[in-house]
Amino acid sequence: MDSASPIVLNNVSKVYRLYDKPTDRLKEAVFPFGNNRYHKQFSALSGITFEVGKGETIGIVGKNGSGKSTLLKLITGVLTATSGSIAVAGRISAILELGAGFNQEYTGIENIFLNGTILGYSRDEIENRLDDIIAFADIGDFIYQPVKTYSSGMFSRLAFAVAINVDPDILIVDEALAVGDVKFQTKCFNRFKALKDKGVTILFVGHDIFSVRSFCDKAMWLHEGELLRYGDTLSVTAEYMQFMNQDSQQSSDKHDDLTKNASIEALEAEVEIPFDAINRWGSNIGLIRTGLIRGIKSELSNVLISGERARVTVGFHIPPDIDTSILHIAFSIKNTLGIDVLVSTTYENESFRLERRNGLVEVNFEFDNYLNQGDYILVVALEDRTNPVTEYFDYVEGAQYFKIVTKKKAYGVLNIPVVQYLNANGEK
Ligand SMILES: Nc1ncnc2c1ncn2[C@@H]1O[C@H](COP(=O)(O)OP(=O)(O)OP(=O)(O)O)[C@@H](O)[C@H]1O
């Protein structure tokens, strides 16, 4: 165990007591004999062991009720563990519940001082930061009103403004609480990034996989109170996405008949699965046989030239039990942060008709490739988008890994030609 790690948990468990009625809690307090008489036990976390290195940013994922908030409340000390040990070194700033640590009767400004004091700052230190905090919250004259008059958006702005404009060693944030407009959320993210660059250790409950992928060094997946995975962000979130996808497919009975793999058996002997995928999932894995991207002119393998037209080819089989009217073909190009920078699906194309046929079917997508230089991942999928949650027959994350090169160095995510001209003396 690294003694420099600011957060170390060893075999931590948390058991909540559940009472059927509020009076049962009272009865148990008044008659403490026979402790278990009035409550049931619920294990919200069990056997959690991990450590977080200094300056690491950890994204925590897991479905509702998996124990994320409980874990963070144990680390911040709001809750105490039923068993196990938790060692935290450094000043923690946390936003786990909107309104926690605020006095409803106090004004915004008074609450800034209250919160700052809870975080361990002196009055002078808070005064030095007051203007920044007020400017960041940007809630106008409401800052002079009692916080009980605030909307949840205002609350969120004030809570974030305080928590991220102080100098914590450890920042703990639940992304879901960043309610507000895109501008405010971007401001928060910029500030997180600045804190991360300064070496602050950050625990971040991510509800959007892509913010976890773009922001976190490592990811942690909690499931039913257990730590299922902890490690490389891309692989942990990919496994989590796969699980969530399967979970939603299992709970949807609409296309039960499509999840049969019988037709795959006939195809299995034909070709080995050629992909070196980060991840592959779906109800009919094996249907996709090719997924590749090429520059149309250069035809180089695994290298595309920015600005050149590119083609993605997806080759697949259509088994007899899949209705071709709901079967769609999609690709996405992800950058190394796992963010989809380009997505296209035949579902968007009203004139697309897939006819049933035997043997390999190929669908081509062509586009002018204005992506900038860098490393990219090709994802190809066979999907059904007729339900609110997309179901995948076969999803290959990593059908091809390729580079895009530019003729001369370009900046930004896109390399779109931009016309530049000068208006001298206001001439048009
Ligand atoms: N005070 C409490 N008393 C009893 N059970 C609780 C209490 N707080 C949480 N739980 C239960 O513990 C489990 C874990 O809850 P927790 O809030 O930690 O999950 P979560 O992953 O943060 O969920 P969400 O994503 O919905 O916020 C849930 O089943 C929840 O109902």
Side-chain angles (χ1 to χ4, degrees):
M1 200 174 282
D2 181 356
S3 59
S5 299
I7 302 172
V8 181
L9 274 77
N10 198 355
N11 207 12
V12 169
S13 298
K14 176 69 189 175
V15 177
Y16 286 114
R17 290 180 168 192
L18 299 179
Y19 297 87
D20 287 336
K21 307 188 279 291
T23 46
D24 286 349
R25 185 186 298 270
L26 192 66
K27 282 186 204 157
E28 196 168 278
V30 178
F31 309 110
F33 48 84
N35 244 349
N36 282 331
R37 278 187 58 190
Y38 297 106
H39 71 260
K40 286 194 263 310
Q41 296 205 325
F42 174 76
S43 170
L45 285 177
S46 57
I48 307 285
T49 298
F50 67 87
E51 60 186 276
V52 178
K54 187 165 169 16
E56 282 184 334
T57 298
I58 312 295
I60 304 172
V61 297
K63 55 185 200 174
N64 291 346
S66 55
K68 303 180 294 293
S69 311
T70 302
L71 177 67
L72 296 182
K73 284 179 187 163
L74 291 173
I75 295 172
T76 52
V78 175
L79 291 175
T80 43
T82 311
S83 61
S85 71
I86 301 176
V88 178
R91 184 147 56 181
I92 300 185
S93 180
I95 312 174
L96 293 180
E97 269 170 311
L98 285 184
F102 282 78
N103 183 322
Q104 292 290 329
E105 303 298 328
Y106 287 13
T107 67
I109 298 212
E110 287 165 343
N111 269 298
I112 295 174
F113 280 97
L114 175 66
N115 248 263
T117 313
I118 295 171
L119 289 171
Y121 291 90
S122 69
R123 202 173 168 88
D124 279 355
E125 285 176 306
I126 303 165
E127 251 157 30
N128 287 339
R129 292 177 170 86
L130 193 60
D131 290 345
D132 285 347
I133 295 173
I134 292 174
F136 195 95
D138 196 16
I139 55 170
D141 286 343
F142 271 97
I143 201 77
Y144 306 108
Q145 301 298 321
V147 299
K148 66 182 178 194
T149 64
Y150 285 17
S151 66
S152 58
M154 287 179 199
F155 233 135
S156 164
R157 282 165 175 268
L158 187 62
F160 273 84
V162 179
I164 63 188
N165 284 286
V166 291
D167 283 316
D169 302 304
I170 300 168
L171 177 69
I172 297 184
V173 178
D174 187 332
E175 185 190 24
L177 301 178
V179 284
D181 53 18
V182 175
K183 184 182 158 212
F184 180 70
Q185 287 176 1
T186 311
K187 234 165 57 168
C188 286
F189 266 97
N190 290 344
R191 189 74 194 129
F192 292 158
K193 282 187 193 126
L195 291 171
K196 179 178 158 82
D197 291 345
K198 271 170 76 178
V200 173
T201 305
I202 302 175
L203 296 191
F204 173 79
V205 176
H207 297 268
D208 171 9
I209 291 300
F210 300 110
S211 47
V212 173
R213 286 187 167 186
S214 60
F215 187 60
C216 300
D217 308 314
K218 283 187 186 168
M220 182 179 290
W221 173 12
L222 285 180
H223 182 64
E224 293 176 359
E226 288 183 17
L227 180 57
L228 217 55
R229 296 275 181 282
Y230 180 39
D232 171 65
T233 306
L234 201 58
S235 25
V236 173
T237 52
E239 272 192 81
Y240 174 63
M241 279 169 78
Q242 172 180 354
F243 165 79
M244 291 303 276
N245 181 57
Q246 279 167 354
D247 206 38
S248 63
Q249 288 203 9
Q250 273 162 15
S251 54
S252 138
D253 48 10
K254 190 152 176 227
H255 293 293
D256 256 4
D257 51 337
L258 298 179
T259 55
K260 286 181 214 140
N261 272 337
S263 55
I264 303 294
E265 283 162 21
L267 299 168
E268 237 162 30
E270 212 179 296
V271 195
E272 90 278 17
I273 295 168
F275 301 111
D276 173 24
I278 300 173
N279 230 308
R280 187 168 189 174
W281 70 75
S283 56
N284 294 57
I285 288 177
L287 289 185
I288 297 177
R289 296 308 166 105
T290 47
L292 37 97
I293 184 164
R294 291 278 184 274
I296 285 187
K297 262 208 289 195
S298 56
E299 283 284 348
L300 297 167
S301 57
N302 298 333
V303 178
L304 274 77
I305 296 165
S306 183
E308 198 186 298
R309 207 165 164 71
R311 180 188 297 128
V312 171
T313 305
V314 184
F316 56 95
H317 287 279
I318 312 172
D321 60 344
I322 291 187
D323 171 3
T324 50
S325 68
I326 54 140
L327 176 63
H328 283 280
I329 298 88
F331 81 92
S332 91
I333 295 177
K334 288 183 194 253
N335 62 15
T336 47
L337 295 173
I339 294 171
D340 288 307
V341 287
L342 178 66
V343 180
S344 182
T345 166
T346 56
Y347 181 71
E348 290 158 359
N349 179 350
E350 277 170 17
S351 58
F352 180 82
R353 295 277 172 275
L354 189 63
E355 278 165 29
R356 178 170 299 288
R357 66 183 85 158
N358 292 327
L360 198 70
V361 182
E362 273 189 3
V363 170
N364 290 298
F365 300 80
E366 276 188 28
F367 61 97
D368 291 324
N369 174 21
Y370 288 125
L371 295 174
N372 212 341
Q373 68 246 341
D375 292 306
Y376 294 91
I377 299 163
L378 178 68
V379 179
V380 292
L382 296 186
E383 59 183 25
D384 169 11
R385 287 195 181 243
T386 50
N387 291 317
V389 178
T390 306
E391 293 183 13
Y392 291 103
F393 300 112
D394 197 358
Y395 181 104
V396 184
E397 184 173 19
Q400 193 181 330
Y401 303 88
F402 62 99
K403 269 188 193 308
I404 296 178
V405 293
T406 47
K407 290 190 176 133
K408 67 180 189 169
K409 184 166 170 54
Y411 303 92
V413 177
L414 298 176
N415 183 28
I416 299 175
V418 176
V419 178
Q420 304 171 351
Y421 53 90
L422 176 73
N423 283 348
N425 300 325
E427 289 164 13
K428 292 254 157 90

